[in-house]
Amino acid sequence: MPLSSSEAPESSCRHHTYSRKQKSLGLLCTNFLSFYDRGGVEVVGLDEAASKLGVERRRIYDIVNVLEGVGVLARKAKNKYTWKGFEAIPKALQELKEEGLRENLSSFDKHRSSNYEKVSYDDNDDEDECDSNPNTGSQNDNSIPSGIVKSTAASRFDNRKEKSLGLLTQNFVKLFVCSKADLISLDEVAKLLLGDAHNSSIMRTKVRRLYDIANVLSSLKLIEKTHTAEARKPAFRWLGLRGKPESGSDDALAESRKRTFGADVTNICFKRNKVDSSPDGDRNDNLKLQNQIKVENEVTIADRSALCQDFSNSYQFGPFAPATVAKVGGSDNKATQTHDWDSFASTYRPQYHNQALRELFAHYMEAWKSWYTEVAGKKPIQQVS
DNA sequence: CCATCCCGCCACGAG
DNA sequence: CTCGTGGCGGGATGG
């Protein structure tokens, strides 16, 4: 690769400090999302995604699992998922809400006193989704006939599988969607979600997963990471749905905004130097500077004014506005200190902006060019080995 | 220090 | 057996 020196946003750091942020799940997810949000994609192949995004398979599973929990994706077959899109979110949330309320009737979690194996398991029927295709070959869901309270199914320590991530995600979401609270601290979530805690070991593991989920949900803009008011405890704030141009009769295309991405989204592979460098001068130098410029960051208003989300079933949120304002050119922020960063933008607003928080900014990248190229000539780039 | 969380080993289940 | 999946936790990174 000719290192044509285009303007590299990145600078300094001669020794290419490996940065975790570059490979974070959240970022990866953002790429994933923007990649498949372009018109017309319907099926998502795991391998395809993996190579396209330049990551290992394993990571794709993480993303896909949580996205499925929110309805954006649906498992179709081995190695394949169906892209439902963002417009599937409202519905999924609605279902999650009802479901959550239902199971919530019997027991108030809150004080869970001593119940060792309580582990609030709740299986869930999960989305059924009115699928357009009635016919199906293999069936998957084992629906227990309306086991309202779920009874003691699960003989055995039941599901060796389906134990986490997907479910954890849904439970996490239910938690927000079922209560009016919109800010929950991390450990609250952990305790609530897995009712056991006690043993720090188990909880620690769960918390890790929670971070994973949180990252993905953050990419979706469903939540945001913050910390409780005064305390320094990390917490999550529910942003909920943003103004979706949704209306009764939806139509397939026309949906929300689409972010296009030009060029490669591929993350370069920089491994996290495990034992680190081979003594013999690593030649990795600095060449490849990735030009993965991140777009992103459109804030949605979490209409704070409304305490209660709504009790009405219909989701008519949108106290306002479409978030589709795009700004070309992108370099709008004249940060005092050059904050261009290399990549990574989005969800970080460490400073306390008391009220200026709800602003709407969206920087969008160009990409139109690439887009054209693609449309016109079909991008030849494709090395799916 | 502690919060965050990437990496990838390895256990499952299906073919 | 191989292969697709995805728990799970060590331990590195960032603040």
Side-chain angles (χ1 to χ4, degrees):
Chain A
M1 304 299 175
L3 50 142
S4 54
S5 59
S6 48
E7 71 273 329
E10 138 194 84
S11 59
S12 61
C13 71
R14 51 159 79 190
H15 201 25
H16 84 305
T17 337
Y18 161 93
S19 175
R20 237 177 165 196
K21 299 184 191 119
Q22 297 174 6
K23 311 206 59 160
S24 69
L25 238 190
L27 190 60
L28 182 64
C29 183
T30 298
N31 286 342
F32 182 94
L33 255 30
S34 46
F35 202 78
Y36 286 101
D37 189 32
R38 304 169 163 176
V41 186
E42 191 182 79
V43 285
V44 178
L46 298 184
D47 286 303
E48 177 192 52
S51 60
K52 224 112 178 171
L53 298 174
V55 293
E56 333 153 14
R57 204 96 183 289
R58 184 67 194 75
R59 302 279 73 83
I60 299 297
Y61 289 127
D62 288 335
I63 292 177
V64 151
N65 284 328
V66 24
L67 286 182
E68 186 180 23
V70 184
V72 176
L73 289 175
R75 185 179 292 120
K76 179 108 148 302
K78 181 180 89 170
N79 220 307
K80 283 198 288 192
Y81 278 78
T82 303
W83 172 260
K84 290 301 179 98
F86 302 100
E87 55 286 1
I89 294 178
K91 185 180 175 190
L93 292 184
Q94 182 57 41
E95 291 177 4
L96 246 33
K97 182 177 180 180
E98 293 172 2
E99 198 177 293
L101 291 173
R102 200 164 305 288
E103 46 191 52
N104 210 323
L105 295 177
S106 50
S107 63
F108 298 117
D109 33 284
K110 242 23 193 250
H111 64 294
R112 44 188 55 281
S113 59
S114 58
N115 274 340
Y116 310 103
E117 55 184 356
K118 169 54 188 270
V119 191
S120 64
Y121 266 121
D122 31 334
D123 55 344
N124 68 359
D125 39 27
D126 188 81
E127 88 232 13
D128 31 348
E129 184 89 349
C130 46
D131 193 20
S132 347
N133 297 336
N135 72 344
T136 15
S138 53
Q139 189 52 24
N140 45 355
D141 63 42
N142 42 357
S143 50
I144 295 169
S146 70
I148 298 175
V149 192
K150 166 230 178 26
S151 68
T152 60
S155 41
R156 217 81 286 186
F157 298 132
D158 68 277
N159 358 326
R160 236 350 164 186
K161 63 176 180 177
E162 295 288 20
K163 192 173 58 178
S164 256
L165 247 165
L167 282 183
L168 231 188
T169 298
Q170 296 192 319
N171 288 332
F172 183 72
V173 171
K174 283 177 188 173
L175 216 147
F176 279 112
V177 105
C178 291
S179 68
K180 58 198 175 303
D182 68 335
L183 206 165
I184 306 179
S185 70
L186 175 61
D187 37 41
E188 263 335 295
V189 176
K191 280 183 171 55
L192 237 54
L193 238 46
L194 43 138
D196 48 357
H198 328 333
N199 305 320
S200 56
S201 61
I202 296 183
M203 199 167 103
R204 191 158 313 166
T205 295
K206 287 305 181 188
V207 170
R208 287 197 192 105
R209 294 314 135 225
L210 226 44
Y211 282 120
D212 290 342
I213 293 171
N215 283 328
V216 174
L217 292 182
S218 289
S219 285
L220 282 172
K221 299 287 188 283
L222 283 178
I223 64 169
E224 178 185 45
K225 288 201 260 188
T226 15
H227 33 58
T228 54
E230 288 289 320
R232 32 191 355 79
K233 286 179 172 297
F236 302 113
R237 171 174 295 110
W238 178 251
L239 295 179
L241 331 145
R242 35 30 184 338
K244 273 215 165 161
E246 185 80 47
S247 49
S249 59
D250 69 275
D251 46 306
L253 330 176
E255 27 30 53
S256 43
R257 76 292 136 142
K258 64 182 47 187
R259 319 157 176 169
T260 354
F261 236 72
D264 55 52
V265 199
T266 330
N267 289 341
I268 17 54
C269 18
F270 271 132
K271 293 287 255 196
R272 178 208 231 164
N273 298 324
K274 203 77 172 273
V275 186
D276 184 66
S277 61
S278 30
D280 52 311
D282 36 295
R283 72 283 309 282
N284 44 23
D285 304 347
N286 47 15
L287 22 110
K288 51 209 52 181
L289 36 144
Q290 71 266 49
N291 45 354
Q292 58 178 103
I293 320 150
K294 237 44 275 205
V295 292
E296 208 39 344
N297 189 18
E298 41 191 352
V299 175
T300 63
I301 288 63
D303 55 321
R304 44 163 60 248
S305 60
L307 303 176
C308 47
Q309 192 112 352
D310 57 352
F311 282 93
S312 56
N313 295 334
S314 58
Y315 27 78
Q316 278 307 34
F317 12 89
F320 97 108
T324 349
V325 188
K327 180 175 294 184
V328 186
S331 60
D332 52 334
N333 54 351
K334 66 300 174 155
T336 353
Q337 308 165 314
T338 54
H339 261 316
D340 19 324
W341 288 97
D342 14 19
S343 46
F344 190 72
S346 64
T347 65
Y348 258 90
R349 229 82 250 193
Q351 317 302 12
Y352 340 89
H353 290 173
N354 294 334
Q355 50 193 103
L357 189 59
R358 0 160 28 203
E359 276 284 43
L360 184 136
F361 30 127
H363 22 323
Y364 260 58
M365 291 313 292
E366 23 48 78
W368 287 96
K369 291 178 182 177
S370 319
W371 201 56
Y372 277 125
T373 310
E374 213 170 304
V375 176
K378 211 76 166 198
K379 182 174 285 184
I381 297 175
Q382 170 145 2
Q383 76 281 43
V384 183
S385 69

